[in-house]
Amino acid sequence: MTETNSQADLAILCSACFRNEGLRLDAVRLGWASDEPCPHCGATDGAKLSDERARHLAHRFFVVGSLVKTEYGGASVIQFNSRVETSLDPNPLHGDDAQLLSQTLGIGFFYHGPPIWAVGEIEPLKALEDPQTRAPIIARILAEYPRFTLSPDQTFYRLRKAAARPQDPGEYDSPPDEFCGGGRLDTPDLPILYGSADLELCIHECRVTVADELHVATLKATRPLSLLDLTALIDDGTTSFESLDMAVHLLFLAASHSYPISRDIAAAAHRAGLDGVLFPSYFSLLRTGQPFLETIYGLSTRVFAGAAEYEAVKIVENIALFDRPIADGRVAVTCINRLYLRQASYDLGFGPATY
Ligand SMILES: [Zn+2]
């Protein structure tokens, strides 16, 4: 058990009350140890749950655990609140678990129709998806997103798997032409050096396994470099359905089907004379453990006052530098190390197997 009962919470349920294994394991994590018998099932060895912790458990299992990702964005299939009766059996194998939470907490589970912006119905994103209408939106991105200055005192890292000559700084430059065109921003015409100040993020981005021979270069710019900052939260004064901010946010949370769009943005930034792009990692939420597309009353938390600071903790930044910045002298390799994985740890969540 990872939490202690510091607030003299009143136990209403315990981990032994649940038959579903995922709910039981999550209840063990959220509950506290106590020798008192559970007021519901009488067990003394279950992790005890207060009203607040049982709601947290219901949210993690049924709401977060029913998140379905769409091509762009995604939403939870199941929601609950205290105003409706349960209108579904969210857990057919162990329906009495859901019923127990419903009755004990006074909540109802129901199928949720998500706001359609959350599943990618955003005007600038739809325009970006169509190559015929993409260019004006990319021109807006170049005009409306700020510039980030990568200064010579900021250290960042570049990871290599199976480097042929690991001691050679050139190994850490952008790949040779024949290997360009497979990533989020690079094309055969535009080699890119990808790096990050977050070394664990580099491990995710490089899809590292325990079998890999790894080396990491410590890098610094040799002069201030100007990057298009796509990690910024921009307020374009529109709704989420028309928001350029939301379009770009969902673009970088999307998988490889989105790469033709992000490559065109990089090419435009290159033509504009910039040194590169600062962009949110696809693995940001995995790295930070933050929720996917948080909403309040159907609105994205990105649209509220003060959102920039709140949203920034969810993002881990990647640095993409155009052409070959080590060969052309814009970036210096200050150190090279062998890197190995000592241990990997995972933070697991559970959801219903079917809805
Ligand atoms: Zn119990």
Side-chain angles (χ1 to χ4, degrees):
M1 282 163 229
T2 56
E3 303 200 24
T4 54
N5 179 27
S6 55
Q7 311 142 356
D9 292 330
L10 187 66
I12 58 167
L13 294 170
C14 81
S15 56
C17 293
F18 301 106
R19 293 205 292 148
N20 180 280
E21 185 66 4
L23 263 172
R24 191 188 68 75
L25 289 170
D26 229 10
V28 168
R29 284 190 52 177
L30 293 173
W32 71 86
S34 149
D35 297 335
E36 297 291 312
C38 168
H40 175 71
C41 73
T44 54
D45 57 352
K48 302 299 186 298
L49 297 168
S50 61
D51 183 284
E52 185 187 354
R53 295 190 196 193
R55 279 173 201 276
H56 190 183
L57 175 69
H59 184 265
R60 270 168 56 144
F61 187 82
F62 291 107
V63 179
V64 182
S66 69
L67 175 75
V68 174
K69 289 192 181 172
T70 50
E71 194 171 29
Y72 292 97
S76 292
V77 174
I78 299 172
Q79 289 286 348
F80 66 82
N81 65 36
S82 54
R83 298 184 300 278
V84 301
E85 297 277 305
T86 290
S87 58
L88 56 88
D89 180 352
N91 186 16
L93 283 177
H94 296 293
D96 40 0
D97 288 340
Q99 206 179 2
L100 174 63
L101 286 165
S102 280
Q103 286 169 354
T104 313
L105 301 173
I107 56 173
F109 293 98
F110 57 97
Y111 288 120
H112 174 60
I116 58 172
W117 62 261
V119 292
E121 287 295 312
I122 302 168
E123 292 303 326
L125 182 57
K126 288 196 286 189
L128 283 170
E129 287 182 75
D130 181 352
Q132 304 299 317
T133 54
R134 186 175 296 163
I137 305 297
I138 290 181
R140 276 190 62 196
I141 291 172
L142 266 288
E144 295 181 32
Y145 276 79
R147 305 301 184 250
F148 170 81
T149 301
L150 182 64
S151 79
D153 52 22
Q154 186 183 339
T155 293
F156 61 105
Y157 303 105
R158 159 116 157 99
L159 197 63
R160 282 292 318 273
K161 287 197 275 196
R165 300 174 311 282
Q167 73 286 6
D168 177 1
E171 286 276 347
Y172 303 90
D173 213 338
S174 308
D177 284 346
E178 60 267 32
F179 298 114
C180 294
R184 189 172 283 271
L185 300 173
D186 53 286
T187 62
D189 299 328
L190 182 57
I192 287 184
L193 183 160
Y194 294 98
S196 177
D198 185 317
L199 197 45
E200 283 192 41
L201 184 76
C202 299
I203 299 283
H204 290 300
E205 291 282 0
C206 291
R207 278 78 163 167
V208 165
T209 73
V210 285
D212 290 320
E213 179 70 15
L214 301 172
H215 289 85
V216 61
T218 305
L219 306 176
K220 281 185 178 178
T222 56
R223 59 174 172 81
L225 300 179
S226 183
L227 276 54
L228 179 65
D229 183 3
L230 298 174
T231 68
L233 188 155
I234 60 162
D235 179 5
D236 51 5
T238 61
T239 68
S240 294
F241 299 97
E242 301 158 316
S243 165
L244 185 64
D245 177 77
M246 189 53 68
V248 171
H249 184 61
L250 294 193
L251 179 68
F252 284 95
L253 290 177
S256 57
H257 58 269
S258 67
Y259 288 5
I261 302 171
S262 44
R263 288 170 186 158
D264 280 359
I265 296 172
H270 184 243
R271 283 196 302 276
L274 293 167
D275 290 296
V277 171
L278 193 70
F279 66 102
S281 170
Y282 175 66
F283 297 100
S284 286
L285 302 181
L286 188 63
R287 181 80 181 91
T288 62
Q290 292 285 325
F292 187 78
L293 294 190
E294 232 180 330
T295 59
I296 299 174
Y297 299 118
L299 298 173
S300 167
T301 48
R302 293 180 74 83
V303 305
F304 291 93
E309 211 170 282
Y310 182 79
E311 296 295 319
V313 300
K314 301 177 182 177
I315 293 301
V316 187
E317 296 160 348
N318 266 330
I319 296 166
L321 298 174
F322 300 146
D323 302 310
R324 292 201 169 77
I326 294 175
D328 67 29
R330 284 176 296 156
V331 167
V333 176
T334 62
C335 190
I336 297 169
N337 286 103
R338 186 176 181 219
L339 188 76
Y340 63 97
L341 303 181
R342 280 205 312 212
Q343 187 183 11
S345 67
Y346 298 91
D347 187 4
L348 306 175
F350 300 92
T354 56
Y355 313 115

